[in-house]
């Protein structure tokens, strides 16, 4: 998982662009559900933070934000 997270967070804006895509949003949601370590969580949230407003106003991106807000213990 860490390798995947490192790849999708290595290019600024890449994870946000994937999240805004109709098919990519599902992939990012599954990624968010599967990350476990603090490093993985930090990398993903840091990569999404610059695009937060775009994600919030987009129907696909909004689902990614919702998935990030679901606490780990309810998954």
């Amino acid at each position: 998982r860490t390798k995947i997270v490192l790849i999708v967070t290595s290019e600024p804006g890449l994870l946000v662009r994937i999240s805004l895509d109709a098919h990519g949003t599902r992939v990012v949601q599954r990624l968010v559900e599967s990350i476990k370590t603090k490093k993985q969580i930090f990398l993903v949230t840091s990569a999404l933070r610059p695009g937060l407003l775009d994600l919030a106003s987009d129907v696909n991106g909004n689902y990614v934000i919702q998935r990030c807000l679901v606490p780990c213990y309810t998954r």
Side-chain angles (χ1 to χ4, degrees):
R1 282 186 202 109
T2 301
K3 279 188 174 184
I4 294 169
V5 170
L6 287 170
I7 291 169
V8 298
T9 60
S10 63
E11 181 186 324
L14 178 61
L15 194 59
V16 172
R17 286 195 310 271
I18 296 170
S19 299
L20 295 173
D21 180 75
H23 300 290
T25 186
R26 292 185 178 104
V27 174
V28 177
Q29 288 174 56
R30 299 301 171 259
L31 177 66
V32 169
E33 290 172 357
S34 71
I35 57 177
K36 304 287 184 216
T37 69
K38 289 184 181 199
K39 179 181 180 179
Q40 293 169 350
I41 294 167
F42 174 78
L43 288 169
V44 169
T45 55
S46 295
L48 292 173
R49 187 170 290 121
L52 188 62
L53 292 177
D54 291 330
L55 293 169
S57 62
D58 182 82
V59 70
N60 297 316
N62 194 284
Y63 285 116
V64 173
I65 293 174
Q66 289 178 35
R67 186 56 54 200
C68 289
L69 294 175
V70 174
C72 296
Y73 55 84
T74 62
R75 294 183 192 160

